[in-house]
């Protein structure tokens, strides 16, 4: 319909205009333009070409005055090269800072791994002792097994995070975001992990040594067997708890961690401490029977 209307308009215009020299020249120009449009249409039909957004942006950046020729292409290439050089110059300081930050993060991760290795060596004996104590139901330390599971998860998280940061070729945004999230989680539970460990120390243990009872006769008769009651079971648990406390104390002595469980003493230091305690006047005065109330 559009083509038909345009054709009617052209025919009416041709019927009304006069055949002057100027009109003939215009007719020739129009016919030449129509011929070029036909050739262009044929070329596009045979070789379909689509203009990309980058090409459109390039034309918008450097609008051609007449037509796109070799001169325009050379000028566009020069302008693009200059823009790329300027961008590289602007990004170079940021790239240097980024590489320095990556090296710093990797070095910190390595330092943490070294510190964790020392930590594992120091706490190895304590961890072994705690695992042994888990086997005893009447140790008097509730929640020990759950604590060991939490502690293992805590240390594994640190090891995996530092290993991932140290071995990564490039620290991507996802790796950094994941490490930050894990660091926040570790920071929130660190005090609880080591604070709870102190609850299982000898000094803070709820297990107490029962009071000694003075016997009125030299020979003690064997107690008669009584039926097991709730009270007798509690007594057994108390005795087992006391035995566990003694067992821990003996183990600490054998490992050189008595009287301070947090410090491992040498054989010489242990002997010196034992002699010092044995010759201490305050300890010796406790042996004087005259202090007892029945004398």
């Amino acid at each position: 319909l559009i083509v038909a209307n345009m054709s009617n308009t052209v025919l009416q215009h041709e019927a009304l205009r006069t055949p002057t020299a100027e009109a003939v020249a215009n007719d020739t120009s129009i016919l030449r333009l129509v011929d070029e449009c036909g050739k262009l249409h044929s070329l596009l039909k045979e070789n379909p070409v689509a203009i990309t957004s980058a090409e459109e942006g390039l034309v918008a950046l450097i609008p051609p005055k007449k037509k796109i020729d070799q001169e325009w292409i050379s000028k566009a290439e020069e302008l693009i090269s200059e823009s790329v050089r300027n961008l590289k110059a602007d990004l170079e300081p940021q790239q240097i800072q980024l590489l320095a930050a990556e090296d710093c993060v990797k070095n910190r991760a390595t330092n943490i791994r070294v510190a964790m290795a020392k930590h594992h060596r120091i706490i190895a004996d304590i961890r072994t002792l705690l695992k042994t104590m888990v086997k005893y139901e009447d140790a008097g330390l509730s929640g020990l097994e759950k604590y060991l599971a939490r502690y293992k998860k805590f240390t594994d998280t640190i090891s995996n995070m530092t290993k991932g940061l140290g071995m990564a070729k490039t620290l991507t945004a996802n790796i950094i975001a994941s490490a930050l999230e894990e660091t926040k989680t570790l920071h929130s539970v660190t005090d609880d992990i080591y604070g709870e460990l102190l609850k299982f120390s000898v000094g803070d243990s709820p297990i107490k040594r029962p009071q000694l009872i003075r016997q009125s006769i030299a020979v003690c008769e064997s107690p008669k067997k009584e039926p097991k009651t709730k009270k007798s079971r509690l007594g057994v648990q108390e005795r087992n708890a006391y035995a566990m406390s003694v067992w821990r104390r003996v183990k600490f002595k054998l490992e050189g961690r008595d009287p301070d469980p947090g410090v491992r003493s040498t054989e010489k230091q242990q002997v010196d401490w034992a002699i010092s305690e044995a010759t201490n006047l305050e300890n010796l005065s406790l042996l004087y029977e005259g202090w007892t109330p029945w004398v």
Side-chain angles (χ1 to χ4, degrees):
L1 181 60
I2 296 175
V3 175
N5 292 335
M6 186 179 295
S7 300
N8 290 332
T9 303
V10 171
L11 291 175
Q12 291 177 3
H13 178 71
E14 288 294 328
L16 294 175
R17 73 186 181 86
T18 56
T20 60
E22 185 179 358
V24 173
N26 290 335
D27 291 343
T28 304
S29 299
I30 290 174
L31 292 175
R32 189 182 301 113
L33 180 60
V34 171
D35 185 52
E36 290 180 358
C37 289
K39 292 179 180 179
L40 179 61
H41 177 70
S42 300
L43 290 174
L44 291 176
K45 189 175 181 181
E46 294 176 359
N47 302 307
V49 178
I51 299 177
T52 62
S53 58
E55 293 172 340
E56 292 179 356
L58 184 60
V59 173
L61 180 64
I62 311 173
K65 294 181 179 180
K66 295 181 180 179
K67 61 179 181 178
I68 297 177
D69 52 7
Q70 187 63 36
E71 182 181 358
W72 181 87
I73 294 175
S74 300
K75 187 181 295 184
E77 182 180 2
E78 183 179 353
L79 182 60
I80 292 172
S81 299
E82 185 178 357
S83 300
V84 170
R85 285 194 298 269
N86 293 334
L87 288 175
K88 286 184 177 180
D90 294 338
L91 291 176
E92 186 175 0
Q94 299 180 9
Q95 188 70 20
I96 294 174
Q97 293 179 1
L98 179 61
L99 293 176
E102 285 188 2
D103 292 339
C104 181
V105 170
K106 291 183 178 181
N107 291 335
R108 293 290 179 86
T110 303
N111 293 338
I112 293 175
R113 293 182 66 183
V114 173
M116 286 301 297
K118 294 180 180 178
H119 172 271
H120 288 319
R121 287 195 296 270
I122 293 173
I123 208 169
D125 295 336
I126 299 176
R127 187 168 60 247
T128 303
L129 178 60
L130 293 178
K131 288 181 179 179
T132 305
M133 293 167 62
V134 170
K135 300 178 182 179
Y136 294 87
E137 297 179 356
D138 299 327
L141 301 174
S142 60
L144 184 56
E145 188 172 1
K146 292 182 179 179
Y147 170 78
L148 289 176
R150 287 180 56 205
Y151 176 80
K152 185 177 185 303
K153 182 179 179 181
F154 173 77
T155 54
D156 288 346
T157 302
I158 296 177
S159 299
N160 294 333
M161 182 187 68
T162 54
K163 184 178 180 180
L165 291 174
M167 298 183 64
K169 294 182 179 179
T170 303
L171 297 179
T172 61
N174 293 333
I175 295 177
I176 296 298
S178 177
L180 286 175
E181 191 66 26
E182 290 179 347
T183 302
K184 291 179 181 178
T185 304
L186 292 171
H187 183 268
S188 63
V189 301
T190 300
D191 292 340
D192 294 337
I193 289 291
Y194 291 99
E196 190 174 353
L197 178 61
L198 297 177
K199 296 180 182 179
F200 303 111
S201 63
V202 176
D204 297 334
S205 175
I207 303 170
K208 302 297 181 182
R209 181 190 296 269
Q211 295 182 353
L212 296 177
I213 301 175
R214 187 172 185 271
Q215 301 292 335
S216 58
I217 56 177
V219 180
C220 297
E221 298 179 356
S222 60
K224 297 180 180 179
K225 290 187 177 180
E226 298 180 356
K228 292 185 178 180
T229 61
K230 184 176 181 180
K231 187 174 181 180
S232 63
R233 286 196 298 270
L234 291 176
V236 172
Q237 291 180 359
E238 290 179 358
R239 288 195 297 274
N240 290 342
Y242 173 64
M244 192 64 194
S245 176
V246 173
W247 174 79
R248 285 203 308 272
R249 185 69 184 274
V250 172
K251 182 175 177 62
F252 283 163
K253 286 180 178 292
L254 294 175
E255 293 177 348
R257 292 191 285 127
D258 185 71
D260 188 356
V263 179
R264 184 184 289 274
S265 304
T266 62
E267 290 82 355
K268 183 178 183 303
Q269 291 173 338
Q270 295 180 60
V271 172
D272 291 342
W273 179 80
I275 294 174
S276 175
E277 288 293 303
T279 57
N280 190 342
L281 295 179
E282 293 183 359
N283 294 336
L284 293 174
S285 64
L286 296 177
L287 298 176
Y288 176 54
E289 192 175 0
W291 300 123
T292 55
W294 58 81
V295 175

